[in-house]
Amino acid sequence: MIERTLVLIKKDGLERGLVGKITTRFEDAGFKIVGSKMVQVDEEFAKKHYTEDLAKRRGEHVRKYLTEFIKSGPVIVYVLEGVHAIENVRKMVGETEPRAARPGTIRGDFAHVSYAHCDNKKQVVKNLIHASADKKDAEYEVKLWFKPEELCSYKRVDEVHTL
Ligand code: IDP
Ligand code: MG
């Protein structure tokens, strides 16, 4: 039940100075940061993260906007560990479209744009954060972004209360 999931704070999160606030939410919920770094990716890497599968789901144009966006500045990357971490972190992140994201979620509290607005502007939906969608994606993404030796092991004091 203890899982690891990959979180990226995307360029808009960095530019808006929200790294601390976003990180605090996960720490407050008891998730353990087991991997952390700031990375500037290139086109090749961006396409490994935003795979063909995304183009199939969302359209080739979305994959193109996203690849451009993710390589246009650095991202903060975390591996978070916790009970049902994949599902729980997605719940905290909220819906993809900030307009639809509930208050209390990261996207709902810190953004509000819509698909229609972004389509008009021919740009990616700026929703601050990426989190692995499911077990398969989490395994793939953690391996893609981190070497095994970059992931650390330690105990948080509140593990006593959650595990
Ligand atoms: P997710 O981030 O909630 O898992 P995905 O479907 O995996 O959503 O899409 C990846 C990212 O692509 C989204 O977070 C958002 O930034 C962007 N995106 C998705 N759909 C659209 C769209 O229709 N127009 C522009 N950007 C989109
Ligand atoms: Mg996704």
Side-chain angles (χ1 to χ4, degrees):
M1 253 170 270
I2 297 176
E3 298 173 340
R4 289 181 167 185
T5 191
L6 187 100
V7 165
L8 302 179
I9 302 180
K10 301 193 265 191
K11 187 184 173 190
D12 44 330
L14 278 163
E15 287 183 345
R16 291 184 49 202
L18 291 172
V19 175
K21 282 188 175 148
I22 291 172
T23 307
T24 294
R25 288 187 173 218
F26 295 123
E27 290 191 299
D28 285 353
F31 291 105
K32 178 158 62 172
I33 299 170
V34 295
S36 163
K37 59 186 171 183
M38 184 181 234
V39 185
Q40 171 68 60
V41 305
D42 60 14
E43 170 91 15
E44 194 189 339
F45 191 94
K47 285 194 159 154
K48 283 186 187 160
H49 179 73
Y50 289 124
T51 60
E52 288 287 343
D53 175 60
L54 177 84
K56 275 189 213 136
R57 283 192 300 110
R58 295 284 193 183
E60 198 55 62
H61 67 294
V62 170
R63 188 181 184 207
K64 189 170 152 268
Y65 296 160
L66 271 170
T67 340
E68 286 302 318
F69 185 62
I70 201 175
K71 66 178 205 192
S72 67
V75 291
I76 299 275
V77 203
Y78 293 130
V79 176
L80 300 181
E81 185 181 280
V83 179
H84 303 296
I86 301 163
E87 175 194 325
N88 274 319
V89 166
R90 287 284 288 196
K91 183 181 66 183
M92 291 173 70
V93 165
E95 295 281 323
T96 305
E97 185 189 27
R99 175 193 188 181
R102 300 256 160 227
T105 65
I106 292 166
R107 288 168 173 169
D109 284 350
F110 296 118
H112 69 272
V113 293
S114 68
Y115 285 135
H117 171 78
C118 299
D119 284 350
N120 265 346
K121 296 194 75 178
K122 296 200 184 319
Q123 70 181 21
V124 69
V125 170
K126 291 184 184 163
N127 57 12
L128 303 162
I129 182 164
H130 163 89
S132 305
D134 54 32
K135 217 173 172 58
K136 186 170 143 272
D137 281 7
E139 274 168 20
Y140 171 77
E141 291 171 3
V142 168
K143 269 200 197 120
L144 176 67
W145 287 86
F146 287 89
K147 297 186 191 120
E149 63 269 26
E150 290 177 315
L151 299 175
C152 300
S153 174
Y154 64 98
K155 269 213 186 308
R156 268 181 64 127
V157 72
D158 57 355
E159 285 181 62
V160 174
H161 303 287
T162 56
L163 302 181

